Amino acid sequence: MKTNAAYLVNDVKSPIRYGEINIINPPRRRLRGEPLKEGVEALPVFCGFCGTDLELMKMGEKGALSEKFPEGEARLINGHEGVVWVPSQNRFAIVLIRGGDSFDPTRFTEEESYFEYGCDRADGLFCDRNFFNPDMLLHLPKEYEGLKKLPLTLAKKLVFSDPYACAIFQHERMCDIGTAQNFRVISARDKCSTEQAMQKAKEETFRKTVIFGLGTTGLFIGDQIRRNHPEAKILFIARSDENAAKVRFAKKYARADYLCSAGLSEEQTAEKIKEYFSSPCSVFVGTSGNEAESRVAFRYGALGCNGIYDSFSLGPAVSFDTMPFGFKNHVILSSINFTKKHMEQAIEILAKSRFDELVELISREEFTENPKDAYLNKIYSKGAPLKTAVIWNKEYISED
């Protein structure tokens, strides 16, 4: 089937393009043991841009995208955040991005396979129409079923379904690991039962939380911690000015404090963290994409004994000195995933949130006229908003 799309190729000068291409509809399965199913046609309505899109474009410039292409193709339609209209079902849907021949595609093993719409071996959302496995078209909350036009404010909220689901997964994993890490110590300290100690350990994991970086993932992880742990003390660290919109938003809705690290050395940043908590922190979440994260936590001692380092950045190396690392009993967690359950939870939370305030629009015409220029000089420029999105099909959006 022919469609107009933004798509990625291996080309040093023009790695992202817009035009008419042919899309395929190979049978895919959501999970191992489920039947292979051909996709049902859906029309992308509202699409968000993710940092992954920029990284894929950079891979195309280096000629390193071939393994990401759908089988038999030499291009990838990117885009994995947004809302689609499913004509055959007369409803809007959120696409569950990852599936495959594995029991849990977000935590696949070496002998299993996976695909990811818009990212890895399956075409995504920046197109007029595409095919998606029917088991991976998730429903909107019940109160929005039956809509024929999607309110723009709701579309802006739901564009975060993918990253917010990641944040729910991160919180879940930190709870699991924090509980296992410290319940024996707490049982000995408080002379309590294993069950009581495990509950206390889960809460104490977040008692002194640092989130290094204030993009969407950092903000959403902070939001998840605040929703689940009202007594947690949360400190965001980034280079943005104290009066930046995202800083004000984080302080208001995540009820967090903020440290601007601009002008501070890594050692000074670590000292400011210890000064804020009156001790090193209990959990350090790295979301900035900068190698300073691990140095602040480990080399300069911002992470306390028995603490957890949640590495949520893609790209930077994490380094530590094995002597203090071992004796301080640190744990490093690194897992950028989510499941259907997490995304369904995210959809419900987002629909009732204020996160639409963080989204700004680029017109479809401005994006498609020169996608590479739009990426570099607007969507991912230094002064870009926290999230940029595009109304892809105005027919299904209500802008009132």
Side-chain angles (χ1 to χ4, degrees):
M1 181 170 67
K2 298 289 186 181
T3 189
N4 290 314
Y7 58 97
L8 296 154
V9 297
N10 284 320
D11 190 304
V12 66
K13 292 184 178 180
S14 183
I16 183 166
R17 305 170 181 179
Y18 176 79
E20 186 179 72
I21 61 172
N22 185 62
I23 56 172
I24 58 176
N25 188 18
R28 294 188 170 99
R29 56 170 50 95
R30 184 181 71 93
L31 293 174
R32 176 165 285 194
E34 295 184 355
L36 286 165
K37 292 185 179 180
E38 288 191 349
V40 300
E41 184 179 347
L43 313 180
V45 172
F46 192 82
C47 308
F49 298 90
C50 171
T52 301
D53 299 320
L54 180 62
E55 292 305 313
L56 289 169
M57 188 188 80
K58 291 178 179 178
M59 290 175 66
E61 287 180 320
K62 299 173 184 176
L65 266 182
S66 297
E67 292 187 2
K68 301 289 186 182
F69 296 147
E71 186 175 355
E73 301 294 328
R75 87 294 170 281
L76 171 71
I77 299 172
N78 65 310
H80 57 279
E81 299 179 352
V83 186
V84 302
W85 174 258
V86 188
S88 62
Q89 300 175 12
N90 203 33
R91 69 178 179 93
F92 292 102
I94 304 292
V95 180
L96 178 63
I97 297 304
R98 191 183 291 190
D101 192 15
S102 46
F103 292 112
D104 182 348
T106 68
R107 301 177 70 185
F108 60 93
T109 59
E110 288 77 9
E111 72 274 10
E112 295 178 327
S113 65
Y114 75 96
F115 67 88
E116 214 166 352
Y117 287 119
C119 298
D120 211 328
R121 289 166 275 185
D123 287 326
L125 300 181
F126 285 119
C127 55
D128 289 350
R129 57 190 68 243
N130 202 351
F131 299 102
F132 302 100
N133 183 306
D135 298 330
M136 299 174 69
L137 292 168
L138 305 185
H139 286 260
L140 272 58
K142 289 182 179 180
E143 59 265 36
Y144 298 109
E145 291 290 343
L147 286 178
K148 297 300 184 288
K149 282 184 176 287
L150 190 68
L152 180 57
T153 53
L154 180 60
K156 287 182 174 181
K157 296 172 184 178
L158 295 177
V159 80
F160 290 119
S161 298
D162 179 299
Y164 200 94
C166 287
I168 294 174
F169 180 88
Q170 291 301 304
H171 170 254
E172 180 180 273
R173 293 287 287 146
M174 284 189 282
C175 286
D176 291 345
I177 291 173
T179 299
Q181 168 81 334
N182 288 316
F183 81 91
R184 296 184 189 281
V185 175
I186 290 172
S187 180
R189 182 193 72 193
D190 295 351
K191 306 295 189 292
C192 59
S193 68
T194 295
E195 183 177 351
Q196 291 172 321
M198 291 180 77
Q199 184 58 41
K200 286 185 178 182
K202 182 167 69 173
E203 291 303 315
E204 289 191 17
T205 295
F206 304 100
R207 71 189 187 281
K208 299 177 181 180
T209 299
V210 165
I211 301 176
F212 199 95
L214 191 47
T216 54
T217 50
L219 177 59
F220 294 159
I221 291 171
D223 186 70
Q224 265 296 289
I225 292 171
R226 174 58 67 220
R227 287 172 184 269
N228 289 280
H229 309 278
E231 302 304 315
K233 198 169 184 179
I234 303 171
L235 178 66
F236 282 102
I237 300 174
R239 300 181 63 82
S240 300
D241 183 86
E242 188 89 30
N243 294 314
K246 64 182 180 180
V247 174
R248 296 198 306 271
F249 190 96
K251 291 170 71 173
K252 181 176 181 179
Y253 293 110
R255 302 196 310 279
D257 288 319
Y258 178 72
L259 170 65
C260 176
S261 61
L264 297 177
S265 68
E266 293 169 5
E267 184 174 12
Q268 288 170 329
T269 301
E271 291 304 314
K272 289 284 187 182
I273 291 170
K274 288 182 276 189
E275 180 182 319
Y276 173 78
F277 291 116
S278 300
S279 69
C281 65
S282 57
V283 62
F284 190 108
V285 184
T287 70
S288 73
N290 192 300
E291 291 188 10
E293 296 172 351
S294 65
R295 292 193 292 266
V296 169
F298 297 121
R299 182 183 301 178
Y300 297 109
L303 182 63
C305 290
N306 308 310
I308 293 173
Y309 183 90
D310 184 0
S311 176
F312 197 76
S313 293
L314 287 175
V318 175
S319 59
F320 55 89
D321 184 335
T322 55
M323 180 68 81
F325 178 82
F327 277 94
K328 289 184 177 181
N329 199 37
H330 287 149
V331 169
I332 296 177
L333 159 68
S334 183
S335 188
I336 301 176
N337 295 312
F338 62 88
T339 66
K340 178 183 177 183
K341 175 192 72 173
H342 298 125
M343 184 167 263
E344 289 173 335
Q345 291 172 348
I347 292 168
E348 293 288 339
I349 291 170
L350 290 168
K352 298 177 177 65
S353 77
R354 302 288 296 273
F355 289 122
D356 55 301
E357 298 175 16
L358 301 173
V359 182
E360 294 186 19
L361 299 180
I362 184 173
S363 72
R364 172 169 170 164
E365 292 71 25
E366 182 178 0
F367 171 59
T368 58
E369 182 179 352
N370 190 334
K372 182 178 179 181
D373 181 73
Y375 270 27
L376 296 178
N377 297 313
K378 184 163 186 178
I379 300 167
Y380 302 108
S381 66
K382 186 176 181 180
L386 191 63
K387 172 64 71 174
T388 301
V390 57
I391 299 174
W392 198 263
N393 191 326
K394 292 182 178 181
E395 180 182 347
Y396 294 96
I397 289 286
S398 170
E399 298 187 54
D400 295 338

